[in-house]
């Protein structure tokens, strides 16, 4: 009986508080704020894409393997926060370059980067599988351990 009274009072309290809270919304004002946020977002995206295109235009045809890896890694970093599909592409490209040229620490970092991009994209199971394939953090190259730790914490 006491439980029924508690549930009834709780439901009554929720129903009374809801109209008070709902009255504070101004839809017109909220839509204007949303429109301005979308406009700012679009200008930020356009600016970011311009920076990436400018960076890509400075690439030269004659580069060492290390330069190509660093160039690709930089593109990964530029895309990471706003276009995870492209970030995943460049992380995979970094992995391919590093693996083909026997750059094991760089290949490991590229795989960690791939997992991080998957996390940002919401693909946590894929990221977990990628990180699990890398093995124990204590067995990794010392330069890879901090990046692995941060990615695991994400």
């Amino acid at each position: 009986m006491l439980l029924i009274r508690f549930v009834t009072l709780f439901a009554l309290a929720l129903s009374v508080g809801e109209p008070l809270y709902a009255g504070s919304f101004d839809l017109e004002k909220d839509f204007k704020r949303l429109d301005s946020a979308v406009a700012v977002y679009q200008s930020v995206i356009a600016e970011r894409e311009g920076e990436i295109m400018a960076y890509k235009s400075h690439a030269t045809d004659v580069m060492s393997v290390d330069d190509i890896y660093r160039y690709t890694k930089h593109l990964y970093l530029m895309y990471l926060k706003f276009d995870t599909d492209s970030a995943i592409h460049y992380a995979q490209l970094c992995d391919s370059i590093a693996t083909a040229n026997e750059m094991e620490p760089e290949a490991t970092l590229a795989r960690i980067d791939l997992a991080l991009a998957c996390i940002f994209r919401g693909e946590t199971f894929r990221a977990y599988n990628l990180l699990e394939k890398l093995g124990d953090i204590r067995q990794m190259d010392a330069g890879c351990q901090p990046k692995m730790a941060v990615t695991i914490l994400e």
Side-chain angles (χ1 to χ4, degrees):
M1 189 69 167
L2 184 61
L3 181 62
I4 294 172
R5 284 186 183 174
F6 176 75
V7 171
T8 305
L9 287 174
F10 184 72
L12 183 62
L14 284 177
S15 65
V16 170
E18 187 177 326
L20 296 174
Y21 182 72
S24 66
F25 286 111
D26 181 359
L27 288 179
E28 195 64 37
K29 182 179 175 183
D30 291 339
F31 284 137
K32 286 180 182 177
R33 285 184 30 216
L34 181 60
D35 286 343
S36 67
V38 168
V40 167
Y41 175 77
Q42 290 172 345
S43 68
V44 168
I45 293 298
E47 180 182 324
R48 194 78 173 134
E49 287 174 346
E51 291 171 5
I52 291 171
M53 294 310 291
Y55 181 74
K56 285 181 177 180
S57 71
H58 293 325
T60 61
D61 293 334
V62 182
M63 292 185 186
S64 70
V65 174
D66 289 338
D67 290 340
I68 293 170
Y69 176 84
R70 280 192 294 276
Y71 172 79
T72 307
K73 172 79 173 205
H74 189 74
L75 285 170
Y76 158 80
L77 292 170
M78 292 178 87
Y79 277 115
L80 183 60
K81 296 292 178 145
F82 85 98
D83 185 356
T84 52
D85 288 338
S86 294
I88 287 171
H89 168 75
Y90 284 108
Q92 291 170 332
L93 194 54
C94 284
D95 183 26
S96 298
I97 293 166
T99 302
N101 292 286
E102 299 176 0
M103 302 162 60
E104 192 53 39
E106 288 83 358
T108 301
L109 285 172
R111 293 175 191 135
I112 295 169
D113 288 340
L114 177 58
L116 183 61
C118 289
I119 290 168
F120 286 169
R121 190 170 186 222
E123 297 179 11
T124 53
F125 292 115
R126 180 180 177 195
Y128 176 77
N129 289 332
L130 290 166
L131 294 173
E132 196 172 63
K133 287 178 186 177
L134 292 173
D136 188 359
I137 190 171
R138 293 170 288 192
Q139 304 303 318
M140 287 184 179
D141 182 80
C144 300
Q145 290 175 349
K147 179 84 172 188
M148 179 71 159
V150 168
T151 303
I152 290 170
L153 291 174
E154 284 290 333

